[in-house]
DNA sequence: GTGACGATAATCT
DNA sequence: GATTATCGTCACA
């Protein structure tokens, strides 16, 4: 019996992958694979299908539009994670790009779940206690009697993705070469014919700038 | 299928 | 004190 080698065991992408402008990195991240090893040792992850590029002082939608303590990480070296909390209740995960001194990052918005799907579903719901004690019912991810998990409901949005993969503020600044979080080449750079670019979602500034890169026929996109 | 709404805390002005 | 790179629920069509 030969042991099956999971795709998460592949070598992490090199630092040089991230040391490029955000738009290039974003485009090239499609089809690559994101992996997360939780404290219990389990690995979850899958193939990226939707990302957004964020720039520096020229991009009003970017946190790095102003250089502040929070955005300082986007001005630092490439190849590390930038994780922040939004709306008081969710996390978003980014990949820092460019060289030290130049701000840039790519927001990871959606992926096709491949490994650790049961764990993802467990982290996603069906019921969660919020900080204030309120009980919030979440989108249905599994049937009443242990039916098949709805893989589309797990990582089809930036905050769903972080919840499914157990990504939180502890990972802010983490090296994307592992061991807690890493990216691998997947099946390689996806063909241009599969890629589309649209305006970014949910931003109020620069709302018409095309910077959202998607695998256009994927069923695992947000929305 | 669409649109309004609230949760909730870090960050910045 | 205002804003926010979101999500799930509800009402309605």
């Amino acid at each position: 019996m030969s042991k099956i080698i999971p795709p998460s065991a592949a070598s992490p992408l090199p630092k040089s992958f991230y040391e490029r402008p955000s738009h290039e990195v974003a485009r090239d991240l499609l089809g690559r694979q994101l992996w997360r090893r939780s404290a219990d040792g389990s690995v979850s992850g899958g193939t990226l299908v939707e990302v957004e590029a964020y720039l520096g002082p020229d991009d009003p939608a970017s946190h790095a539009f102003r250089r502040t303590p929070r955005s300082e990480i986007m001005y630092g070296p490439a190849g590390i994670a930038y994780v922040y909390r939004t709306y008081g209740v969710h996390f978003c995960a980014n990949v820092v790009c460019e060289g030290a001194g130049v701000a840039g990052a790519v927001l990871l918005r959606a992926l096709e779940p491949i490994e650790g799907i049961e764990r993802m579903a467990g982290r996603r719901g069906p019921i969660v206690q919020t900080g204030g004690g309120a009980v919030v019912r979440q989108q249905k991810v599994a049937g009443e009697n242990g039916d098949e998990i709805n893989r589309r409901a797990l990582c089809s949005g930036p905050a769903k993705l972080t919840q499914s993969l157990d990504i939180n503020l502890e990972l802010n600044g983490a090296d994307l070469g592992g061991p807690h979080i890493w990216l691998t080449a997947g099946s390689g750079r996806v063909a241009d014919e599969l890629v589309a670019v649209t305006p970014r979602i949910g931003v109020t500034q620069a709302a018409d700038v095309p910077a959202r890169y998607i695998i256009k026929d994927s069923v695992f996109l947000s929305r």
Side-chain angles (χ1 to χ4, degrees):
Chain A
M1 293 256 280
S2 64
K3 191 170 183 181
I4 294 173
I5 300 174
S8 57
S11 300
L13 292 167
K15 275 273 184 283
S16 56
F17 182 93
Y18 306 102
E19 293 168 340
R20 294 180 288 162
S22 300
H23 281 272
E24 283 184 35
V25 177
R27 161 64 180 85
D28 209 0
L29 276 172
L30 294 176
R32 312 298 186 169
Q33 295 178 329
L34 172 69
W35 308 107
R36 156 69 167 153
R37 186 185 308 278
S38 297
D40 65 6
S42 66
V43 174
S44 313
T47 304
L48 292 168
V49 297
E50 175 178 350
V51 299
E52 286 176 357
Y54 286 86
L55 281 54
D58 295 332
D59 180 5
S62 174
H63 290 168
F65 182 60
R66 295 183 179 84
R67 192 163 183 167
T68 65
R70 179 176 67 167
S71 67
E72 186 62 26
I73 190 167
M74 286 179 65
Y75 285 84
I80 63 174
Y82 166 40
V83 183
Y84 64 90
R85 191 191 290 274
T86 51
Y87 297 96
V89 287
H90 296 118
F91 301 116
C92 290
N94 296 252
V95 166
V96 176
C97 309
E98 289 279 9
V102 182
V106 176
L107 172 67
L108 308 178
R109 286 195 56 92
L111 60 74
E112 173 182 352
I114 295 202
E115 205 172 312
I117 289 168
E118 295 282 343
R119 298 258 183 187
M120 292 189 202
R123 287 188 283 259
R124 282 277 296 149
I127 289 175
V128 98
Q129 290 276 356
T130 66
V135 175
V136 178
R137 291 191 179 283
Q138 300 203 321
Q139 186 177 359
K140 187 175 175 182
V141 297
E144 307 298 313
N145 308 316
D147 304 345
E148 202 170 322
I149 292 171
N150 176 11
R151 289 166 70 229
R152 300 192 201 193
L154 295 176
C155 299
S156 52
K160 297 180 182 182
L161 182 154
T162 56
Q163 185 180 23
S164 281
L165 298 193
D166 189 27
I167 293 173
N168 52 55
L169 296 181
E170 288 179 15
L171 285 177
N172 188 36
D175 195 308
L176 294 174
H180 305 296
I181 184 170
W182 67 99
L183 289 105
T184 58
S187 50
R189 183 184 170 93
V190 301
D192 286 340
E193 297 76 44
L194 303 179
V195 175
V197 189
T198 79
R200 292 170 292 193
I201 290 179
V203 297
T204 53
Q205 304 290 318
D208 53 347
V209 174
R212 170 176 175 254
Y213 293 81
I214 61 174
I215 296 182
K216 56 185 173 188
D217 291 332
S218 172
V219 301
F220 296 97
L221 301 174
S222 67
R223 303 211 162 176

